[in-house]
Amino acid sequence: MEHLNTEKGAKALYIQIKDIYRHKILNGDLKLGDRIESELEIQQKYNVSRITARQAILDLEKEGMVKRGRGKGTFVIWRPGIEEDLMHVSSFTQEMEAAGRVPGTSSVSITKEYLDKDTAQEFNASTDELMYCVRRVRTADDIKIVYMVSYYPLETHLPMDPERIRNSIYEILDYTGSGVPTHIVEKIRAELPNEETVEALNISKTQPILYRSRIGYSEDHKLVELSKCYFRGDLYSYCITTSNEE
């Protein structure tokens, strides 16, 4: 059994316990669907308080490693990170289905807003145009993966009912005849999350994220989407395939 470091200056005990289980999950010692010890069992195993044991489990759940079920126990839900192929234009729903994951939405809102100064500058857009603003937290297998803030021209005629835009907005754009993006310009960078993203994804403010901005144009070159996406850096990666063949 692993021993905790109780010397002065060592990591907090709940962090050490969390790291022990995290290591076992990442190494495959604990697999998808496996049950981990209860708070009481962890308390007795490592000779710590119930509060310490509970905090370790809460942090594992926050990181998307386990899921607690009242009266059922705590089970491993972590799966290897999702890799997106940037060679094709696809929606989040399509990406997750292609990866064998179940896409979902844990929260959604839609308003009509003008672009703020920073967003307008990033996309080289005007602050004078009123647009739909959709904020969503998308999930894969019930794990929060990305916080999306997306803007759409009013000509896309999106429904103002949040329940109607919980899933693929591209499907709505296709259905209404607004046109789905066929040409996109994306920029990706690593950064630390802002407070809004920390709250949306329920992550630590020190956990790196992948930020992706996307400008989408329809087949007839009309602007369809301006999107700011904040992906969990530990659960998401990008794949680019290139060739020097002519």
Side-chain angles (χ1 to χ4, degrees):
M1 184 188 79
E2 302 84 352
H3 295 283
L4 304 181
N5 184 353
T6 58
E7 295 181 359
K8 185 177 181 180
K11 289 183 180 179
L13 296 181
Y14 79 89
I15 294 178
Q16 294 184 50
I17 295 172
K18 179 203 71 173
D19 287 345
I20 288 172
Y21 284 97
R22 190 175 192 276
H23 181 75
K24 288 182 178 181
I25 293 171
L26 293 178
N27 280 357
D29 296 329
L30 287 171
K31 297 178 173 58
L32 180 68
D34 284 353
R35 177 186 177 278
I36 71 169
E37 288 95 339
S38 66
E39 292 178 8
L40 179 59
E41 290 170 327
I42 292 175
Q43 177 185 2
Q44 295 172 343
K45 183 176 182 179
Y46 293 103
N47 192 28
V48 295
S49 70
R50 188 71 172 266
I51 294 176
T52 296
R54 180 180 297 118
Q55 188 60 54
I57 293 177
L58 287 173
D59 274 25
L60 285 169
E61 185 174 39
K62 189 175 183 179
E63 292 183 8
M65 292 285 176
V66 303
K67 187 174 182 64
R68 295 177 300 157
R70 184 178 295 276
K72 298 179 180 179
T74 302
F75 297 88
V76 176
I77 61 171
W78 182 86
R79 295 174 64 179
I82 298 165
E83 183 176 272
E84 178 186 349
D85 185 354
L86 292 181
M87 297 301 291
H88 303 91
V89 180
S90 56
S91 67
F92 179 84
T93 298
Q94 293 169 331
E95 294 165 9
M96 294 305 101
E97 291 175 344
R101 305 296 182 90
V102 179
T105 304
S106 65
S107 66
V108 58
S109 68
I110 179 169
T111 57
K112 292 181 180 180
E113 300 179 13
Y114 293 97
L115 296 183
D116 62 77
K117 184 178 179 180
D118 291 339
T119 300
Q121 184 175 359
E122 179 173 1
F123 290 111
N124 194 26
S126 171
T127 58
D128 297 329
E129 182 182 358
L130 188 64
M131 305 182 77
Y132 294 112
C133 178
V134 178
R135 293 177 173 85
R136 296 185 296 172
V137 175
R138 301 303 310 270
T139 63
D141 300 329
D142 293 325
I143 300 174
K144 294 179 180 180
I145 296 291
V146 56
Y147 174 50
M148 298 178 167
V149 181
S150 305
Y151 298 88
Y152 303 90
L154 297 186
E155 290 77 13
T156 55
H157 303 294
L158 292 181
M160 292 299 292
D161 180 3
E163 291 304 312
R164 294 179 60 187
I165 56 171
R166 291 191 72 87
N167 299 313
S168 177
I169 290 182
Y170 285 7
E171 290 183 4
I172 297 176
L173 295 177
D174 189 37
Y175 178 78
T176 60
S178 301
V180 297
T182 58
H183 170 66
I184 61 173
V185 178
E186 292 186 329
K187 295 181 181 180
I188 302 168
R189 66 175 182 263
E191 63 182 34
L192 291 176
N194 56 29
E195 291 184 5
E196 186 176 348
T197 304
V198 167
E199 182 177 353
L201 297 180
N202 192 28
I203 58 176
S204 165
K205 61 183 179 181
T206 61
Q207 181 171 324
I209 61 168
L210 286 175
Y211 171 75
R212 183 190 75 189
S213 66
R214 169 184 284 190
I215 305 177
Y217 300 94
S218 63
E219 192 172 7
D220 54 359
H221 307 293
K222 291 183 179 179
L223 175 67
V224 177
E225 175 187 36
L226 301 175
S227 182
K228 302 192 293 183
C229 300
Y230 305 85
F231 292 88
R232 280 187 52 165
D234 59 333
L235 297 178
Y236 214 87
S237 63
Y238 292 95
C239 174
I240 302 175
T241 303
T242 60
S243 173
N244 59 5
E245 295 180 1
E246 296 183 358

